[in-house]
Structure formats: structure tokens, C-alpha cells
Amino acid sequence: MTNRPTLPLFYKQPRLMQAAVDEAMSLRVPTHYGFAAGAHAVPLVMGEFAAACRSIPILFAGEAAAPIALLGLREGQNLFVHADGRWDEDAYIPAYVRRYPFIFLEDTEADQLTLCVDEAADAVVAGTENPFFVNGAPTDLTLQALDFARQYQASHALTTGFVTALLDGDLLTERRADITLPSGETPSLSGFRVIDEEKLNRLPVETLAHWRDQGWLAAAYAHLISLNDWSALMRRAG
């Protein structure tokens, strides 16, 4: 039996974008975020920390300590998506969410990344109202999606360097959150880590200067600021 590769969150049928196939396809507007309603956490890249920290807790999850935006306190519930598919207008929308239904996937034969689209996405529809290609050429929509995916990929690489520095410096500490909501529910979250602020502040001056130059120091403090968003998340849940 052949093992199917694990697809990234949200994606069901990603495939290479091609003019011959996609010239008759269009992207539905306005954007509907119903596809993210069941995601209580999504990946986050370092360049987003400053914007995300104002409304969303930023945590580090899993063995790889991957940064995530915590969007809910219960499995399968995103507190930022309304019933009609609108994202809360006062909250930051993570780039991972904004990128969908597009994604870069590796073409192992050509040794390159190619722009793909999830043809199972509700936003991908037949028609020419907001087309992907016209007369065999990519439209501004597709070129913008390509540029966004390229920027996201580059930001992901920078984030890997930041997380490696955190792990190498033993600056992450495991946490567990036991929460009591006004309704009386007591959800708990575990398996995540946060930066130990005391250890961060004890780094040598030379190391702090290097972190500043890499953008890591700003990201670290944005993460610490974001931990104040727990109370706002609890109010949403309650």
C-alpha cells in the first residue's frame, strides 16, 4: 500500500497551475475564510510577529518549535472567523491564511519550487470574472500570488534561522495553559513553548547585538508582548 504524502493544513488537491487548464478558472471574491474556521492554530513566520502580536498569542509548537498563531482554545475552533466566513476586522490575518489557495510545492525532477493552487478550494471556480490566465498569460492575480508565495517562502527560511538560535540558546521553556471560561468550561492547552524572558535578557551583549542585527531580538519581544493576548482570546471563547 502506498503512503500518501501529508498535505499542509487546508490543502486537499494542490496541483501545478497551467494556462491550458486554468484559463477557464477564476478566483471567487470577496475572500471567504470559512476554510480556516476549524483551525485553532496556523503557522506564522518571523516577519509577521510585530503585526500579529497586537491581537494573537504567538507560541512555539512541536519538536521543531515552529511558530504558530493561536486562534482558539478548543481543537477545531477558530475564534477569529465569523459564521458568514468573515475574518474579525480588528484582528491580524496570518500570511499562511492569506496565501490560500495558492502554495509553492517542490518539483523534485526540475529541482525547483512551482506555484500550485488547491483545486478543491471553494474559492476556485469556473469562469472568467477574476481569471488566473488570459490568452495563455498569467494575470496580475496569478503574478501577485506568485510573488506572495515567493516572499512567504523566503520568510519561512529566515524563521528557521530564528528558531534554531532559540533552540541552540536553550531559550524556550515548555508551558501548559489550564483555562476557566465564564461558561464554566475548563479547556487546557499543552505541548507549546514560550521564550524564557530572563534567559533572553541574560544573553551576552555581543549576542544581543547579533540578534538585533538579524531581526531576532524584535521578534522575540513581539512574541513576549503577544502573550498578553491570552485574556482577549479567553473573552472571545467565553
Side-chain angles (χ1 to χ4, degrees), residues 9-10 27-40 42 71 76-101 121-123 148:
L9 177 67
F10 303 148
L27 187 71
R28 176 185 286 140
V29 289
T31 303
H32 188 285
Y33 294 103
F35 65 87
H40 74 289
V42 299
L71 304 174
Q77 182 186 47
N78 184 338
L79 296 171
F80 293 85
V81 177
H82 294 270
D84 61 3
R86 287 180 300 111
W87 195 279
D88 194 309
E89 61 184 15
D90 295 325
Y92 179 73
I93 306 175
Y96 187 92
V97 175
R98 286 182 279 124
R99 182 185 59 169
Y100 188 78
D122 289 341
F148 191 89

Side-chain angles (χ1 to χ4, degrees), residues 43-44 49 59-68 156 158-168 172 174 191-194:
L44 206 66
F49 281 24
L59 308 174
F60 298 87
E63 291 185 12
I68 62 168
H156 188 272
L158 292 174
T159 305
T160 299
F162 173 51
V163 171
T164 298
L166 290 172
L167 294 172
D168 288 348
L172 292 176
E174 194 159 337
F192 67 88
R193 287 180 270 183
V194 300

Side-chain angles (χ1 to χ4, degrees), residues 9-205:
L9 177 67
F10 303 148
Y11 296 87
K12 298 176 181 177
Q13 294 177 266
R15 59 159 176 78
L16 175 67
M17 295 195 73
Q18 303 174 71
V21 177
D22 290 311
E23 196 155 46
M25 303 303 292
S26 180
L27 187 71
R28 176 185 286 140
V29 289
T31 303
H32 188 285
Y33 294 103
F35 65 87
H40 74 289
V42 299
L44 206 66
V45 292
M46 187 182 76
E48 301 180 87
F49 281 24
C53 75
R54 302 167 189 169
S55 53
I56 300 172
I58 302 168
L59 308 174
F60 298 87
E63 291 185 12
I68 62 168
L70 184 66
L71 304 174
L73 300 176
R74 305 178 184 88
E75 189 80 27
Q77 182 186 47
N78 184 338
L79 296 171
F80 293 85
V81 177
H82 294 270
D84 61 3
R86 287 180 300 111
W87 195 279
D88 194 309
E89 61 184 15
D90 295 325
Y92 179 73
I93 306 175
Y96 187 92
V97 175
R98 286 182 279 124
R99 182 185 59 169
Y100 188 78
F102 304 101
I103 190 173
F104 263 153
L105 292 180
E106 185 177 7
D107 184 337
T108 54
E109 293 184 2
D111 191 27
Q112 65 181 10
L113 295 171
T114 57
L115 184 65
C116 297
V117 66
D118 186 2
E119 64 181 357
D122 289 341
V124 177
V125 296
T128 57
E129 182 180 352
N130 198 24
F132 297 135
F133 291 86
V134 172
N135 296 327
T139 61
D140 286 345
L141 165 67
T142 300
L143 292 175
Q144 289 168 11
L146 176 64
D147 186 55
F148 191 89
R150 186 180 290 120
Q151 290 180 35
Y152 187 87
Q153 196 70 20
S155 296
H156 188 272
L158 292 174
T159 305
T160 299
F162 173 51
V163 171
T164 298
L166 290 172
L167 294 172
D168 288 348
D170 191 29
L171 294 176
L172 292 176
T173 183
E174 194 159 337
R175 286 284 187 267
R176 174 188 175 93
D178 295 307
I179 302 158
T180 300
L181 299 177
S183 64
E185 286 185 83
T186 56
S188 63
L189 292 170
S190 59
F192 67 88
R193 287 180 270 183
V194 300
I195 293 176
D196 187 317
E197 188 172 4
E198 289 187 10
K199 286 185 177 180
L200 176 67
N201 292 335
R202 288 200 301 266
L203 288 176
V205 173

